[in-house]
C-alpha cells in the first residue's frame, strides 16, 4: 500500500493511492470536503478479488475491472461508473458476467441516472435469474427507466417508470409492471406513484392484479400514518414463479389499516387463508390448512387472535399480545387436536398414530421466548411401541420452557398390561444439565413378543426408579429395578420358573444385582447375584454368581436330574463369556427310548416348475432362497463345569434298571460341549420277558456331546449255556446283543433265554413269538410277523403266549362295540377259553369267562387312574 495522506481545513485527501493485494490493484486519488462529498478517480483491476476481500473480512471471488469518477458540483454528488464483472461471488450473491455503464447524479438527494446494467447468471436471495437488463435515461429533471429479467425457470419480469423531483422530495412513478410465466401472473392494473418528501411517503392507489385476485394499497406513512392495504383471494403460487422451491399453494384474503403516529401506531388487520400449503409441509405429510387471524395494535403491542384448522382434524388457536418494539410476549396457545399420523411421513413412516392436545402460555422477549405448557396424548402409537407391546399409550405432561431448557413438572404415561411411567426434571435442548427422574411399573409380558419364537412367556411386573443426568446424548443412568412374584415359562428348554424375585442397582456404568431368586416349577430353587458393566463398546463385562438348590431339570425325553451347586459367569457377555463352577447331582434318571426314531435322512430336493401353490409354500418355507449367511460369529458362552454324582444315577428303559455313580467335566462352547468323564455301575438288572438278570458291569461315558455312550453287560445260565446280554451304544439308540458260552447263534441264544429250550424244539408259533421279541428288544416297535397277521385279519389283539408248562397258545380278540370286547384263547393241548369285557363307565367294568374244561367266572371291577 502506497498513498499520500493530507488533512486540512478543506477536508481529507488520499493522493497517489496504489494498493496491491494478490491479483488485485487499486490506484487513483480521492478527496473529501467538509460537506461529506467526494472528488477524484479510482481504477480497480483484479483477476481475483478474494485476497482484497479478505482484508475487509469478507468472502468474495471473481474478476472485476472498474473505473469510478467522483465529482461534487453545486452541492450535488455525481458519479460515473464503468465496470466489467466475470464470475463474481460475494457471500450469497453471484453474477456470471456483466457490464455496468452508468452516470449517477445528485446521489444523496433526488438521484438521476443515465446508462445501463447488464448481468447474466445472477443468483440472489434464492432467486435464479438468467438475465437482467436495466437502463435509465435523464430527460430534463426526470429519469426514465425500464428493466426486464428472465428467470431460470422460464418466468419473466418487466417494469417501466420514472423518477423526478417534486417539491422538497421526489416522485417515483411506475407505469408498467408484469410478472409472467407462459401467462400473466401479476400485473399493475394502472400507473401508480409514490411520493417521498422529508420523512413522509405517500402511496397513490397502487393496484396489482395477481392471478385471480388483487392487491391494493393507498395512504401515507411517516411521522403520521394513514395507510390501507387490501388483499382479495391472492393465489400464493404466484411466488413460485420467482422461487420454485417454495411450492406454495392456497389463497389469501384480508385487509390492514395503519393509523396513528410513528411512536404510537394504531394497526388493525384481518387475514383469511384457505388451502395453504408449501413444498416442505407436503414433504412432511402435512395437509393443506386454513387460517383466520385478526389483530389490533396500539402503541408497542399487537393483540392477535388466530385460528388454524385442516380437513384431517388439526385444530389450534392462539391469542394474546406480541411486542412490536421491546416488551414481552403474552400469548395463549390451545391445541385442540393434532393427529400424529400427520407427522408419520416426516418421521420416516414409523407408524405414528393417536391424538395430541394441550395448551401453552408464551411469555418473554421475541428472541428468547418462554412457555408454560400442558400436553395430552390419547391412543399414541408407533412401530417401536407396537413391537414392545406398549401401544396404544395415554400420555400427560406439564412444565415450562425457558433458557433452552425444558422443565417437566409432571410426565405420566400408561399402556397395556398395566404399564405406567411417571417422570419429572430438567431436559436441556443441547449440552449438559440433564437431571430427569422416572419411575413406574413395566409388565414382564412385554417381552413375550421377543420370546414368541421359542414359545416362551413371562408374567409379573418390574418396578423401576431411575435418574438420568449429564447430557441428552449419552446420559448417565442410576437407580433401582426390582420384581416380586414373577414367573417365566420356556417350553423349548422345558423350563418353568415361579416366584421370581430380583433387585438391582444401576450406577451409570454398572448393573449390580443385589438379590435374585426363583423357584423351579419342576422342583428346587435358583439364586443370582453379581454385576454387569454397561459401558458402551465394552461388550458388557459380567461377574455373576448362580446358585442351584435341589434344582430339578427334565429335558422332556431322556434326562431328569436334581442338581445343586454354584456357577459363575465372567467376561464380556457379548464376546464368549465363561461359565464355570461345580455341580452335585443328587439324583438323575436317564431313560432309554422304547422305540427307535425314524431313520430316513432328509433329501436335498430341487423343485422344477412347481405348481403355483407349491411354489408359494416353498417361498414360505424359504427353500433354496439364497438367504445370505451372517459372516460375523455371534457370542458363544464357554463352559468349565464339574458335575459330581457319587451315586443315584439311574438308567432305565427296555427292561434296563441300573444305578451308577461318578463325575464328568463339561468344557468347550455351549454350541459344541465336550464332556469328559463317566459313571460306573453300582448295581443293576435287566428284566426281559418275565426274567430278571443282574448286571455284572456297567458304565456311562460322555465324550463329545450330552447323548452318552452306555455299556451294560449281564449273564444268565440257560439250558446248558451261559448267556451274555450286552446293552451298548448311544443312550438315544442303544443296541442289545446276545452272546453265549459256548458260542451259539443269536437266535439260539435268545430261544434258550426266553423258552429254556433249543430253537429246534420250538413250534412255529413260538418261533414267530421269538422274532417279535427280538424286534421289540431292538426297539423296532410292533413290526413283527404276528402283528402283520393281526392287521390283515382285522383283529384288535393277536398274541402268542405260553402256559406254566411252556406250551404255546394263541390269544385273539376284537371290540364288537365301543365298550364290549370279545376274546378267545386256544392252547396246544386242545383247551379253549372265551372272555367278554364290558365297559359300563370309564371306571366301572364287568368281565366274564368260560372254558372248555367247564370252569367259568364273572366279576365287577372299579378302576381309577392317578
Amino acid at each position: 500500500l502506497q498513498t499520500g495522506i493530507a488533512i486540512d481545513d478543506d477536508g481529507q485527501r488520499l493522493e497517489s493511492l496504489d494498493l496491491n493485494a494478490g491479483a488485485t490493484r487499486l490506484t487513483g486519488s480521492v478527496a473529501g470536503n467538509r460537506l461529506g462529498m467526494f472528488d477524484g478517480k479510482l481504477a480497480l483491476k483484479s483477476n481475483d478479488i478474494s485476497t482484497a476481500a479478505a482484508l475487509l473480512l469478507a468472502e468474495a471471488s471473481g474478476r472485476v475491472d472498474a473505473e469510478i469518477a467522483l465529482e461534487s458540483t453545486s452541492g450535488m454528488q455525481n458519479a460515473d461508473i464503468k465496470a466489467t464483472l466475470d464470475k463474481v461471488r460475494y457471500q450469497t450473491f453471484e453474477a456470471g458476467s456483466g457490464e455496468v455503464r452508468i452516470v449517477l447524479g445528485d446521489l444523496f438527494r433526488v438521484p438521476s441516472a443515465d446508462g445501463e446494467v447488464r448481468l447474466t447468471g445472477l443468483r440472489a436471495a434464492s432467486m435464479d435469474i438468467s438475465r437482467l437488463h436495466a437502463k435509465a435515461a435523464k430527460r430534463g429533471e426526470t429519469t426514465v427507466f425500464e428493466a426486464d429479467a428472465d428467470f431460470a425457470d422460464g418466468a419473466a419480469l418487466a417494469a417501466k417508470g420514472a423518477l423526478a423531483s417534486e417539491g422538497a422530495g421526489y416522485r417515483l412513478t411506475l407505469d408498467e409492471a408484469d410478472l409472467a410465466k407462459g401467462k400473466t401472473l401479476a400485473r399493475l392494473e394502472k400507473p401508480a406513484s409514490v411520493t417521498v418528501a422529508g420523512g413522509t411517503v405517500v402511496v397513490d392507489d397502487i393496484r396489482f392484479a395477481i392471478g385471480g385476485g388483487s392487491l391494493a394499497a393507498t395512504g401515507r406513512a411517516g411521522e403520521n400514518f394513514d395507510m390501507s392495504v387490501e388483499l382479495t383471494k391472492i393465489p400464493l403460487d404466484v411466488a413460485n414463479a420467482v422461487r420454485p422451491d417454495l411450492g406454495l399453494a392456497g389463497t389469501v384474503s384480508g385487509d390492514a389499516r395503519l393509523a396513528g403516529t410513528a411512536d404510537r401506531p394504531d394497526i388493525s388487520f384481518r387475514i383469511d387463508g384457505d388451502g395453504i400449503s408449501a413444498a416442505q409441509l407436503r414433504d412432511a405429510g402435512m395437509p393443506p390448512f386454513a387460517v383466520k387471524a385478526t389483530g389490533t395494535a396500539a402503541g408497542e403491542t399487537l393483540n392477535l387472535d388466530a385460528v388454524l384448522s385442516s380437513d384431517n382434524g388439526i385444530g389450534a388457536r392462539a391469542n394474546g399480545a406480541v411486542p412490536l418494539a421491546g416488551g414481552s410476549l403474552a400469548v395463549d396457545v390451545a391445541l385442540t387436536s393434532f393427529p400424529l399420523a400427520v407427522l408419520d411421513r416426516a418421521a420416516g413412516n414409523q407408524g405414528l398414530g393417536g391424538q395430541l392436545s394441550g395448551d401453552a402460555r408464551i411469555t418473554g422477549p421475541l428472541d428468547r421466548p418462554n412457555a408454560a405448557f400442558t400436553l395430552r396424548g390419547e391412543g399414541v402409537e408407533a412401530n417401536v411401541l407396537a413391537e414392545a407391546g406398549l401401544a396404544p399409550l395415554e400420555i400427560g405432561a406439564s412444565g415450562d420452557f425457558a433458557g433452552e431448557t425444558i422443565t417437566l413438572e409432571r410426565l405420566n404415561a400408561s399402556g397395556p398390561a398395566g404399564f405406567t411411567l411417571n417422570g419429572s426434571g430438567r431436559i436441556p435442548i443441547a449440552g449438559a444439565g440433564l437431571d430427569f427422574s422416572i419411575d413406574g411399573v413395566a409388565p414382564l409380558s412385554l417381552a413375550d413378543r421377543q420370546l414368541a419364537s421359542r414359545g416362551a412367556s413371562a408374567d409379573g411386573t418390574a418396578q423401576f426408579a431411575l435418574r438420568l443426568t449429564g447430557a441428552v446424548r449419552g446420559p448417565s443412568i442410576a437407580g433401582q429395578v426390582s420384581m416380586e412374584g414373577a414367573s417365566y415359562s420356556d417350553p423349548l428348554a422345558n423350563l418353568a420358573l415361579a416366584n421370581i424375585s430380583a433387585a438391582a442397582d444401576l450406577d451409570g456404568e454398572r448393573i449390580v444385582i443385589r438379590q435374585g431368586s426363583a423357584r423351579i416349577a419342576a422342583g428346587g430353587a435358583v439364586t443370582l447375584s453379581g454385576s454387569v458393566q454397561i459401558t458402551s463398546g465394552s461388550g458388557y463385562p459380567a461377574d455373576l454368581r448362580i446358585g442351584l438348590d435341589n434344582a430339578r431339570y427334565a429335558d422332556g425325553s431322556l434326562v431328569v436330574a436334581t442338581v445343586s451347586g454354584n456357577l459363575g459367569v465372567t467376561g464380556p457377555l457379548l464376546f464368549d463369556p465363561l461359565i464355570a463352577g461345580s455341580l452335585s447331582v443328587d439324583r438323575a434318571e436317564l431313560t432309554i427310548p422304547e422305540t427307535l426314531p425314524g431313520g430316513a435322512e432328509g433329501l436335498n430336493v430341487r423343485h422344477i416348475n412347481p405348481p403355483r401353490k407349491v411354489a408359494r409354500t416353498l417361498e414360505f418355507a424359504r427353500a433354496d432362497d439364497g438367504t445370505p449367511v451372517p459372516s460375523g460369529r455371534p457370542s458363544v458362552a464357554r463352559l468349565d463345569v464339574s458335575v459330581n454324582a457319587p451315586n443315584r444315577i439311574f438308567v432305565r428303559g427296555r427292561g434296563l434298571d441300573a444305578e451308577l455313580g461318578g463325575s464328568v467335566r463339561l468344557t468347550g462352547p455351549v454350541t459344541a460341549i465336550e464332556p469328559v468323564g463317566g459313571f460306573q455301575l453300582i448295581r443293576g438288572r435287566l428284566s426281559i420277558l418275565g426274567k430278571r438278570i443282574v448286571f455284572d458291569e456297567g458304565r456311562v461315558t460322555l465324550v463329545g456331546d450330552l447323548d452318552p455312550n452306555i455299556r451294560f453287560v449281564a449273564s444268565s445260565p440257560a439250558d446248558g449255556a451261559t448267556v451274555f446280554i450286552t446293552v451298548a451304544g448311544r443312550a438315544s439308540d442303544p443296541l442289545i446283543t446276545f452272546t453265549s458260552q459256548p458260542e451259539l447263534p443269536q437266535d439260539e441264544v435268545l430261544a434258550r433265554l426266553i423258552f429254556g429250550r433249543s430253537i429246534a424244539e420250538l413250534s412255529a408259533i413260538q418261533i414267530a413269538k421269538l422274532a417279535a421279541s427280538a424286534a421289540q428288544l431292538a426297539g423296532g416297535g410292533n413290526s413283527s410277523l404276528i402283528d402283520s397277521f393281526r392287521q390283515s385279519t382285522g383283529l384288535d389283539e393277536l398274541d402268542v403266549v405260553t402256559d406254566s408248562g411252556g406250551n404255546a397258545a394263541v390269544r385273539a380278540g376284537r371290540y364288537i362295540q365301543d365298550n364290549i370286547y370279545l376274546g378267545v384263547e386256544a392252547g396246544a393241548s386242545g383247551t379253549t377259553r372265551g372272555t367278554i369285557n364290558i365297559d359300563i363307565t370309564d371306571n366301572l367294568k364287568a368281565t366274564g369267562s368260560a372254558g372248555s374244561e367247564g370252569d367259568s367266572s364273572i366279576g365287577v371291577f372299579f378302576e381309577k387312574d392317578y
Side-chain angles (χ1 to χ4, degrees):
L1 171 64
Q2 291 186 146
T3 186
I5 301 175
I7 302 174
D8 54 31
D9 292 341
D10 294 329
Q12 307 87 29
R13 297 187 302 279
L14 292 178
E15 299 174 344
S16 302
L17 171 66
D18 191 351
L19 170 64
N20 288 276
T24 301
R25 186 178 186 186
L26 178 64
T27 60
S29 299
V30 178
N33 60 32
R34 291 178 297 172
L35 298 177
M37 296 186 183
F38 299 91
D39 291 276
K41 292 184 179 180
L42 293 173
L44 174 66
K45 291 186 177 294
S46 177
N47 289 325
D48 184 0
I49 62 174
S50 59
T51 303
L55 294 176
L56 302 176
L57 303 181
E59 271 194 42
S61 62
R63 185 177 69 82
V64 178
D65 288 339
E67 293 181 1
I68 303 173
L70 301 173
E71 180 185 24
S72 60
T73 58
S74 303
M76 294 186 297
Q77 179 67 66
N78 305 319
D80 187 349
I81 301 173
K82 299 176 182 178
T84 302
L85 311 178
D86 185 26
K87 297 179 181 178
V88 173
R89 180 182 59 82
Y90 173 67
Q91 295 182 351
T92 59
F93 171 85
E94 293 183 32
S97 62
E99 290 185 358
V100 178
R101 299 286 187 271
I102 193 165
V103 177
L104 302 174
D106 202 2
L107 284 174
F108 300 149
R109 291 189 299 179
V110 181
S112 63
D114 195 345
E116 63 181 329
V117 176
R118 295 179 181 272
L119 295 175
T120 61
L122 184 65
R123 290 181 178 86
S126 300
M127 292 187 294
D128 194 348
I129 303 173
S130 57
R131 182 190 65 84
L132 171 65
H133 181 208
K135 61 181 180 180
K138 187 175 181 181
R139 296 176 182 174
E141 299 298 323
T142 300
T143 298
V144 179
F145 65 86
E146 61 181 275
D148 59 89
D150 294 330
F151 292 85
D153 67 338
L157 177 67
K160 293 181 180 180
L163 179 67
S165 61
E166 183 172 313
Y170 61 88
R171 177 185 292 270
L172 174 64
T173 301
L174 194 59
D175 297 321
E176 296 179 11
D178 295 283
L179 175 64
K181 186 177 181 181
K183 61 180 181 179
T184 301
L185 300 177
R187 175 179 54 83
L188 183 68
E189 291 187 347
K190 63 178 183 178
S193 64
V194 176
T195 303
V196 179
T200 301
V201 178
V202 178
V203 178
D204 183 15
D205 193 20
I206 294 179
R207 292 183 177 271
F208 281 93
I210 303 175
S214 64
L215 180 150
T218 184
R220 175 190 303 270
E223 288 296 324
N224 295 286
F225 291 94
D226 185 9
M227 179 76 68
S228 296
V229 178
E230 184 177 352
L231 309 176
T232 304
K233 293 186 178 180
I234 294 181
L236 296 178
D237 60 3
V238 172
N240 300 334
V242 180
R243 286 280 307 276
D245 57 306
L246 294 176
L248 292 176
T251 61
V252 175
S253 299
D255 54 68
R257 180 169 179 78
L258 177 63
T261 61
D263 55 348
R264 294 190 62 83
D266 186 359
I267 305 171
S268 63
F269 67 87
R270 175 188 58 84
I271 296 175
D272 289 333
D274 187 36
I276 297 175
S277 182
Q280 288 186 336
L281 294 177
R282 286 192 296 272
D283 291 343
M286 293 285 288
F289 62 89
V291 61
K292 295 181 179 296
T294 60
T296 59
E300 298 180 349
T301 302
L302 172 66
N303 297 304
L304 175 70
D305 189 353
V307 177
L308 183 144
S309 61
S310 71
D311 292 339
N312 68 339
I314 295 178
R317 181 163 195 155
N319 62 81
V322 179
L324 297 177
S328 296
L329 288 159
V331 178
D332 293 313
V333 178
L335 182 64
T336 54
S337 64
F338 187 91
L340 284 172
V342 169
L343 301 177
D344 194 39
R345 186 190 300 176
N349 298 318
Q350 297 299 313
L352 297 181
Q355 290 277 348
L356 292 182
S357 60
D359 52 76
R361 181 165 180 80
I362 303 173
T363 59
L366 279 172
D367 57 345
R368 291 180 63 83
N370 305 323
F373 62 87
T374 61
L375 183 67
R376 295 171 294 278
E378 298 178 357
V380 177
E381 297 180 341
N383 290 339
V384 65
L385 294 176
E387 291 170 2
L390 286 176
L393 283 179
E394 304 298 315
I395 296 174
S398 63
D400 61 71
F401 171 79
E404 298 188 349
T405 298
I406 299 172
T407 301
L408 283 175
E409 299 174 357
R410 172 187 60 86
L411 171 64
N412 305 117
S414 61
F419 172 80
T420 61
L421 181 145
N422 305 295
S424 63
R426 299 174 65 253
I427 305 174
I429 299 300
L434 175 66
D435 188 359
F436 194 75
S437 298
I438 58 174
D439 62 77
V441 176
L444 299 181
S445 58
L446 296 178
D448 286 353
R449 292 173 182 264
Q450 285 69 40
L451 299 173
S453 60
R454 56 187 297 116
S457 63
D459 191 22
T461 59
Q463 293 77 37
F464 58 90
L466 306 174
R467 184 182 180 192
L468 287 70
T469 56
V472 174
R473 294 180 180 271
S476 177
I477 305 175
Q480 297 82 38
V481 178
S482 64
M483 66 180 73
E484 289 287 344
S487 63
Y488 172 76
S489 175
D490 190 342
L492 197 62
N494 205 33
L495 176 66
L497 301 176
N499 199 26
I500 300 174
S501 173
D505 296 332
L506 285 75
D507 63 1
E509 296 183 352
R510 286 196 316 160
I511 298 176
V512 179
I513 302 173
R514 292 185 282 108
Q515 176 270 329
S517 63
R519 182 174 57 82
I520 301 174
V526 60
T527 60
L528 175 66
S529 63
S531 64
V532 178
Q533 196 84 10
I534 57 175
T535 305
S536 177
S538 65
Y540 305 116
D543 184 8
L544 300 173
R545 296 290 177 264
I546 302 172
L548 300 175
D549 182 13
N550 290 318
R552 187 175 184 273
Y553 173 75
D555 70 349
S557 58
L558 294 177
V559 179
V560 177
T562 301
V563 181
S564 298
N566 295 286
L567 297 174
V569 181
T570 57
L573 295 179
L574 297 184
F575 306 111
D576 305 345
L578 175 65
I579 302 175
S582 177
L583 298 176
S584 298
V585 179
D586 300 325
R587 180 184 180 91
E589 294 199 16
L590 183 65
T591 302
I592 298 174
E594 294 298 328
T595 59
L596 296 179
E601 294 184 358
L603 301 178
N604 184 17
V605 179
R606 184 165 61 91
H607 298 266
I608 300 176
N609 298 326
R612 183 176 60 84
K613 292 184 178 180
V614 174
R616 186 63 173 163
T617 300
L618 293 173
E619 181 181 345
F620 285 139
R622 301 180 66 81
D624 301 328
D625 67 347
T627 301
V629 177
S631 58
R633 182 180 68 81
S635 174
V636 178
R638 298 167 293 125
L639 294 180
D640 185 5
V641 179
S642 297
V643 180
N644 300 307
N647 54 24
R648 292 199 291 182
I649 303 295
F650 298 98
V651 180
R652 295 189 172 102
R654 298 198 199 171
L656 179 65
D657 190 347
E659 181 183 0
L660 305 97
S663 63
V664 65
R665 184 182 179 195
L666 306 177
T667 62
V670 295
T671 54
I673 299 175
E674 300 175 1
V676 178
F679 301 98
Q680 302 295 331
L681 178 69
I682 296 176
R683 64 184 65 84
R685 63 181 182 270
L686 177 67
S687 297
I688 178 172
L689 299 176
K691 296 182 179 294
R692 177 175 292 182
I693 303 171
V694 177
F695 281 110
D696 301 318
E697 64 176 272
R699 180 176 177 82
V700 176
T701 305
L702 294 94
V703 176
D705 57 28
L706 293 179
D707 188 4
N709 280 305
I710 65 173
R711 177 177 173 79
F712 293 93
V713 180
S715 61
S716 175
D719 192 26
T722 301
V723 176
F724 299 95
I725 303 99
T726 303
V727 182
R730 292 281 184 164
S732 60
D733 184 17
L735 178 65
I736 302 177
T737 58
F738 300 89
T739 58
S740 65
Q741 185 66 38
E743 184 174 352
L744 298 171
Q746 282 205 42
D747 54 353
E748 180 69 27
V749 174
L750 190 58
R752 296 194 181 195
L753 178 65
I754 296 174
F755 295 105
R757 62 186 68 181
S758 172
I759 193 171
E761 302 175 13
L762 301 181
S763 66
I765 294 179
Q766 286 177 318
I767 291 175
K769 177 67 174 180
L770 181 67
S773 299
Q776 291 175 2
L777 284 170
N782 297 322
S783 58
S784 64
L785 175 63
I786 297 294
D787 188 59
S788 299
F789 183 66
R790 179 194 63 77
Q791 293 178 3
S792 64
T793 59
L795 295 172
D796 292 318
E797 182 183 15
L798 179 63
D799 200 4
V800 177
V801 296
T802 56
D803 58 20
S804 59
N807 299 312
V810 176
R811 184 166 60 203
R814 179 185 176 94
Y815 281 95
I816 61 174
Q817 290 188 15
D818 290 342
N819 64 332
I820 301 177
Y821 175 84
L822 292 179
V824 65
E825 181 179 312
S829 59
T831 61
T832 60
R833 173 176 294 276
T835 60
I836 182 170
N837 294 339
I838 302 174
D839 296 336
I840 301 172
T841 68
D842 290 342
N843 305 111
L844 190 62
K845 299 180 180 181
T847 66
S849 66
S852 60
E853 297 180 351
D855 56 332
S856 60
S857 63
I858 189 169
V860 178
F861 299 87
F862 180 80
E863 298 177 351
K864 181 69 175 179
D865 291 334
Y866 296 92

